[in-house]
Amino acid sequence: MARIFGREFSAEELQEEVGEMVERITHMAIIFRSMNLTDDEYACLKVIILLNQDNLQPICAAEVIQERYVNALHTMLEHRYPKQPNRFGELLLRLPEIQSAAQLLLTSKMFYVPFLLNSCCDG
């Protein structure tokens, strides 16, 4: 990271600035891996979260589109996972956690660290 940022960061600095954010994102990744989240489910969740923002205008149009994606996710899960009737509810229960982790990411001065860590580990 020193090469990218032009300075060294202590473990304490990183923990203070990105510790909670990395923990929450890692927690969500573990949950989604354990659920074997599909790309389709992920896409639906992204749209549902995107349309669940307080500042969207006009709100009625956003709610209609969001409801379509919630229904599409529900229908898809009923057909793909008939033996997992709670999967839909489990995914929807994760929405506040996802939004909270995303908010931490967006407000951090070092919001790019999880992406850098991911690219370093992929390689």
Short mmCIF file of all heavy atoms in Angstrom, two decimals, residues 21 24-25 28 49 53 95-108 111:
data_model
loop_
_atom_site.label_atom_id
_atom_site.label_comp_id
_atom_site.label_asym_id
_atom_site.label_seq_id
_atom_site.Cartn_x
_atom_site.Cartn_y
_atom_site.Cartn_z
N MET A 21 -15.29 -1.30 8.60
CA MET A 21 -15.78 -1.44 7.24
C MET A 21 -15.36 -2.80 6.65
O MET A 21 -16.19 -3.52 6.10
CB MET A 21 -15.23 -0.31 6.37
CG MET A 21 -15.53 -0.44 4.89
SD MET A 21 -14.82 0.88 3.89
CE MET A 21 -13.12 0.89 4.33
N ARG A 24 -17.32 -5.66 8.31
CA ARG A 24 -18.71 -5.79 7.85
C ARG A 24 -18.78 -6.36 6.43
O ARG A 24 -19.62 -7.20 6.13
CB ARG A 24 -19.43 -4.45 7.90
CG ARG A 24 -19.76 -4.04 9.31
CD ARG A 24 -20.71 -2.90 9.31
NE ARG A 24 -20.87 -2.36 10.64
CZ ARG A 24 -21.75 -1.44 10.93
NH1 ARG A 24 -22.53 -0.94 10.00
NH2 ARG A 24 -21.86 -0.99 12.16
N ILE A 25 -17.92 -5.88 5.56
CA ILE A 25 -17.92 -6.38 4.18
C ILE A 25 -17.52 -7.85 4.17
O ILE A 25 -18.12 -8.66 3.46
CB ILE A 25 -17.00 -5.51 3.30
CG1 ILE A 25 -17.62 -4.13 3.13
CG2 ILE A 25 -16.76 -6.18 1.95
CD1 ILE A 25 -16.70 -3.11 2.48
N MET A 28 -20.44 -9.96 5.35
CA MET A 28 -21.45 -10.14 4.29
C MET A 28 -20.97 -11.13 3.25
O MET A 28 -21.74 -11.97 2.77
CB MET A 28 -21.80 -8.81 3.63
CG MET A 28 -22.51 -7.82 4.55
SD MET A 28 -23.96 -8.48 5.43
CE MET A 28 -24.90 -9.19 4.13
N ILE A 49 -31.65 -2.47 -3.29
CA ILE A 49 -30.95 -1.54 -2.41
C ILE A 49 -30.82 -0.17 -3.08
O ILE A 49 -31.04 0.86 -2.45
CB ILE A 49 -29.57 -2.10 -2.01
CG1 ILE A 49 -29.77 -3.27 -1.05
CG2 ILE A 49 -28.71 -1.02 -1.37
CD1 ILE A 49 -28.52 -4.06 -0.78
N GLN A 53 -33.20 4.11 -1.62
CA GLN A 53 -32.56 5.31 -1.11
C GLN A 53 -33.61 6.37 -0.82
O GLN A 53 -34.57 6.52 -1.55
CB GLN A 53 -31.54 5.84 -2.12
CG GLN A 53 -30.49 4.82 -2.50
CD GLN A 53 -29.71 4.27 -1.32
OE1 GLN A 53 -29.27 5.04 -0.47
NE2 GLN A 53 -29.55 2.98 -1.26
N LEU A 95 -30.60 -6.97 3.90
CA LEU A 95 -30.56 -5.65 3.27
C LEU A 95 -30.03 -4.54 4.20
O LEU A 95 -29.17 -3.76 3.79
CB LEU A 95 -31.93 -5.27 2.70
CG LEU A 95 -32.40 -6.11 1.51
CD1 LEU A 95 -33.80 -5.68 1.09
CD2 LEU A 95 -31.44 -6.02 0.35
N PRO A 96 -30.51 -4.44 5.45
CA PRO A 96 -29.96 -3.39 6.32
C PRO A 96 -28.46 -3.55 6.58
O PRO A 96 -27.74 -2.56 6.64
CB PRO A 96 -30.77 -3.54 7.61
CG PRO A 96 -32.03 -4.23 7.21
CD PRO A 96 -31.64 -5.13 6.08
N GLU A 97 -28.00 -4.80 6.70
CA GLU A 97 -26.57 -5.03 6.90
C GLU A 97 -25.76 -4.58 5.68
O GLU A 97 -24.69 -3.98 5.83
CB GLU A 97 -26.30 -6.52 7.14
CG GLU A 97 -26.75 -7.05 8.46
CD GLU A 97 -26.47 -8.52 8.59
OE1 GLU A 97 -25.33 -8.87 8.97
OE2 GLU A 97 -27.36 -9.32 8.29
N ILE A 98 -26.28 -4.88 4.50
CA ILE A 98 -25.60 -4.48 3.27
C ILE A 98 -25.55 -2.96 3.19
O ILE A 98 -24.51 -2.37 2.88
CB ILE A 98 -26.31 -5.06 2.04
CG1 ILE A 98 -26.28 -6.58 2.06
CG2 ILE A 98 -25.67 -4.54 0.75
CD1 ILE A 98 -27.22 -7.22 1.05
N GLN A 99 -26.67 -2.32 3.46
CA GLN A 99 -26.72 -0.86 3.39
C GLN A 99 -25.78 -0.22 4.42
O GLN A 99 -25.12 0.77 4.13
CB GLN A 99 -28.16 -0.37 3.60
CG GLN A 99 -29.03 -0.67 2.40
CD GLN A 99 -30.48 -0.33 2.64
OE1 GLN A 99 -31.06 -0.72 3.64
NE2 GLN A 99 -31.07 0.40 1.71
N SER A 100 -25.72 -0.79 5.60
CA SER A 100 -24.84 -0.26 6.63
C SER A 100 -23.38 -0.39 6.23
O SER A 100 -22.59 0.55 6.38
CB SER A 100 -25.10 -1.01 7.94
OG SER A 100 -24.22 -0.58 8.94
N ALA A 101 -23.00 -1.55 5.70
CA ALA A 101 -21.62 -1.75 5.24
C ALA A 101 -21.29 -0.81 4.09
O ALA A 101 -20.21 -0.22 4.03
CB ALA A 101 -21.41 -3.21 4.83
N ALA A 102 -22.23 -0.65 3.18
CA ALA A 102 -22.02 0.25 2.04
C ALA A 102 -21.86 1.69 2.51
O ALA A 102 -21.02 2.43 1.99
CB ALA A 102 -23.17 0.13 1.05
N GLN A 103 -22.64 2.09 3.50
CA GLN A 103 -22.53 3.46 4.02
C GLN A 103 -21.17 3.70 4.65
O GLN A 103 -20.57 4.76 4.46
CB GLN A 103 -23.66 3.74 5.02
CG GLN A 103 -23.75 5.19 5.43
CD GLN A 103 -24.01 6.11 4.24
OE1 GLN A 103 -24.75 5.78 3.33
NE2 GLN A 103 -23.40 7.27 4.27
N LEU A 104 -20.67 2.71 5.38
CA LEU A 104 -19.33 2.83 5.95
C LEU A 104 -18.29 2.98 4.84
O LEU A 104 -17.37 3.78 4.93
CB LEU A 104 -18.99 1.60 6.80
CG LEU A 104 -19.52 1.57 8.21
CD1 LEU A 104 -19.21 0.22 8.86
CD2 LEU A 104 -18.94 2.69 9.04
N LEU A 105 -18.46 2.19 3.81
CA LEU A 105 -17.54 2.25 2.68
C LEU A 105 -17.56 3.63 2.03
O LEU A 105 -16.51 4.22 1.75
CB LEU A 105 -17.90 1.17 1.65
CG LEU A 105 -17.06 1.08 0.40
CD1 LEU A 105 -15.65 0.63 0.73
CD2 LEU A 105 -17.69 0.12 -0.59
N LEU A 106 -18.75 4.16 1.82
CA LEU A 106 -18.88 5.45 1.14
C LEU A 106 -18.38 6.63 1.97
O LEU A 106 -17.94 7.64 1.41
CB LEU A 106 -20.33 5.68 0.74
CG LEU A 106 -20.86 4.75 -0.34
CD1 LEU A 106 -22.36 4.95 -0.52
CD2 LEU A 106 -20.13 4.96 -1.65
N THR A 107 -18.45 6.53 3.28
CA THR A 107 -18.05 7.65 4.13
C THR A 107 -16.60 7.56 4.60
O THR A 107 -16.10 8.51 5.19
CB THR A 107 -18.97 7.77 5.36
OG1 THR A 107 -18.92 6.55 6.09
CG2 THR A 107 -20.39 8.09 4.95
N SER A 108 -15.94 6.47 4.32
CA SER A 108 -14.55 6.31 4.74
C SER A 108 -13.61 7.13 3.86
O SER A 108 -13.80 7.22 2.64
CB SER A 108 -14.15 4.83 4.67
OG SER A 108 -12.76 4.70 4.91
N PHE A 111 -11.94 4.57 1.34
CA PHE A 111 -12.95 3.68 0.78
C PHE A 111 -12.38 2.69 -0.22
O PHE A 111 -12.98 1.66 -0.49
CB PHE A 111 -14.09 4.48 0.12
CG PHE A 111 -13.68 5.18 -1.15
CD1 PHE A 111 -13.82 4.55 -2.36
CD2 PHE A 111 -13.16 6.46 -1.10
CE1 PHE A 111 -13.44 5.20 -3.53
CE2 PHE A 111 -12.78 7.11 -2.26
CZ PHE A 111 -12.91 6.48 -3.48
#
